[in-house]
Amino acid sequence: MSTPVQKHKITEWVAVDSKTGEFQRKPSVFRDAISRAPGARFPPEKGRYHLYVSYACPWAHRTQIIRELKGLQDIISLSVVHWHMGTKGWRFATESEASSSPEMTAAPEPINNASYLQDIYFKADPEYSGRYTVPILWDKQTNTIVNNESSEIIRFLCTEFDDLVDEKFRGNLFYPEEKRGVIDELNSWVYDTINNGVYKSGIATMQGAYEDAVTALFASLDRVEALLKASTGPYLLGEKLTEADVRLYPTIIRFDPVYPAIHKWLRHLYWEVPAFKETTNFEHIKKHYTKSHTQINPTGVTPLGPLPHILPLEG
């Protein structure tokens, strides 16, 4: 069976024939869920599921954070792709690369003997014709993709494995019932103008598209700054970490933190909550964005620094 042909190059984030120059994110395709409900197609089981991520990708980063926060490391296995994305999309490191550069923490693919992430998509659906994105939650038992939408993956990781984790990790800790309305409202505009806004700004190929996106981006950063200044605790919504913090962090850690309250919030998460620091890999982030996105940075020059990556907390 022949591989489906994509209309545009994988590294072409805005079509060269675009009339507006706008970056438009395609919706995720695989949208099933892990569920404890009787008769569920994908019930929670230790060792059954495998998470494919990139240390460079902010959407995948949020799933890594939740996996750590919920104590799922021994229940859901993990693969990290190589930082480089080429004409065939994300790829896995070779044995030689993994052994010669262990600090890069990428490795050969252990489940499906895949060389590229696209191989995983085609194993799940030979007719697949969408983008080859991370994260992917893979079911080893039925050899298919459960879900590749990060916002949905983090929701069911937070609840559906509670019978399998230590008692201290149980409960919907980061999406509590009494705060769901405000979390959903916050997630909505943060996603559109910040999480996706940095892409719409940085990938725009026309001045008007860039100006619209960057204006909305900084208006929302102003809004987050004010929210943090008024917060009664170190987190967006007060004394307790919520999903809203998890969803904002991967964007801000890849951005210039010029806002004092946002910078303080960022440093607290990085230095005081291990799940954030342990899933943040600046080498992958820097090299991917400067050397993979040839439409944006055709020279592939990677800037030096900054060092330290994140300023220590003030004594």
Side-chain angles (χ1 to χ4, degrees), residues 54-162:
S54 161
Y55 279 134
C57 173
W59 312 104
H61 194 172
R62 57 173 67 167
T63 66
Q64 296 173 69
I65 293 170
I66 291 295
R67 177 175 173 267
E68 296 277 333
L69 289 172
K70 286 291 292 185
L72 293 167
Q73 300 94 319
D74 294 332
I75 293 171
I76 299 173
S77 51
L78 181 79
S79 282
V80 179
V81 297
H82 193 277
W83 57 262
H84 185 257
M85 176 191 288
T87 57
K88 294 180 70 175
W90 294 109
R91 68 177 179 86
F92 296 95
T94 64
E95 291 280 2
S96 175
E97 288 172 328
S99 60
S100 63
S101 302
E103 72 279 2
M104 294 306 293
T105 61
E109 196 280 314
I111 306 299
N112 294 293
N113 195 31
S115 297
Y116 292 88
L117 193 72
Q118 67 174 358
D119 301 336
I120 308 298
Y121 277 92
F122 293 141
K123 186 167 184 178
D125 179 6
E127 299 299 321
Y128 182 78
S129 60
R131 296 194 73 90
Y132 316 123
T133 60
V134 284
I136 293 173
L137 189 66
W138 177 263
D139 179 18
K140 302 175 192 176
Q141 183 170 308
T142 61
N143 288 318
T144 195
I145 295 172
V146 179
N147 196 294
N148 70 334
E149 169 51 54
S150 63
S151 63
E152 295 173 0
I153 292 173
I154 64 174
R155 287 278 173 92
F156 58 69
L157 290 188
C158 275
T159 59
E160 301 310 295
F161 290 88
D162 274 10

